[in-house]
Amino acid sequence: QLQAYGGGLVQAGGSLRLSCAASGRTFSNYHMGWFRQAPGKEREFVAVITWSDFSVTYADSVKGRFTISRDNAKNTVYVQMNNLKPEDTAVYYCAAGKVFTKSTEGYDYWGQGTLVTVSS
């Protein structure tokens, strides 16, 4: 029901925009989050945007470089990633939940993930 796409290979300092399209149901009243998981590491929070007033929260590691946004009319959430660093390399997942949280446990629906690789 959530499809993430837009990943790829980019050089350090470059940019990518990930999209997460929902189908089968509306997620306009769900908080939408992005998480990532690097090889050998646990899945970690990246950003979240509320469903009501579009408030956003970012992980310290991406603050100032990533921008999360959503278009409820298109049932899609985005994350614009600028000034990418090799340590941003990971599989990126979108998720939807009713709880505004940085914890993976607060999300009910997950996309399949899209790989972002940043070369140095």
Side-chain angles (χ1 to χ4, degrees):
Q1 290 180 317
L2 292 175
Q3 177 85 22
Y5 57 95
L9 174 64
V10 63
Q11 289 187 333
S15 299
L16 281 175
R17 187 175 85 153
L18 305 183
S19 301
C20 175
S23 62
R25 65 176 298 148
T26 180
F27 287 95
S28 60
N29 60 343
Y30 281 76
H31 306 309
M32 299 297 296
W34 284 97
F35 291 78
R36 66 186 182 186
Q37 188 166 17
K41 295 188 176 181
E42 293 187 353
R43 193 168 299 188
E44 66 174 7
F45 168 78
V46 173
V48 61
I49 184 167
T50 64
W51 70 269
S52 53
D53 60 1
F54 291 17
S55 296
V56 298
T57 299
Y58 297 97
D60 288 343
S61 59
V62 307
K63 200 172 294 183
R65 300 188 297 121
F66 289 15
T67 303
I68 187 172
S69 61
R70 65 190 296 167
D71 185 336
N72 284 344
K74 295 183 179 180
N75 226 10
T76 302
V77 63
Y78 309 94
V79 61
Q80 176 68 42
M81 307 185 296
N82 298 329
N83 191 23
L84 283 160
K85 304 176 181 180
E87 51 263 43
D88 294 318
T89 295
V91 176
Y92 283 72
Y93 299 89
C94 59
K98 289 289 192 177
V99 179
F100 185 69
T101 178
K102 298 179 182 180
S103 171
T104 57
E105 296 182 358
Y107 293 84
D108 306 306
Y109 300 92
W110 290 84
Q112 87 291 356
T114 184
L115 176 62
V116 172
T117 303
V118 184
S119 62
S120 57

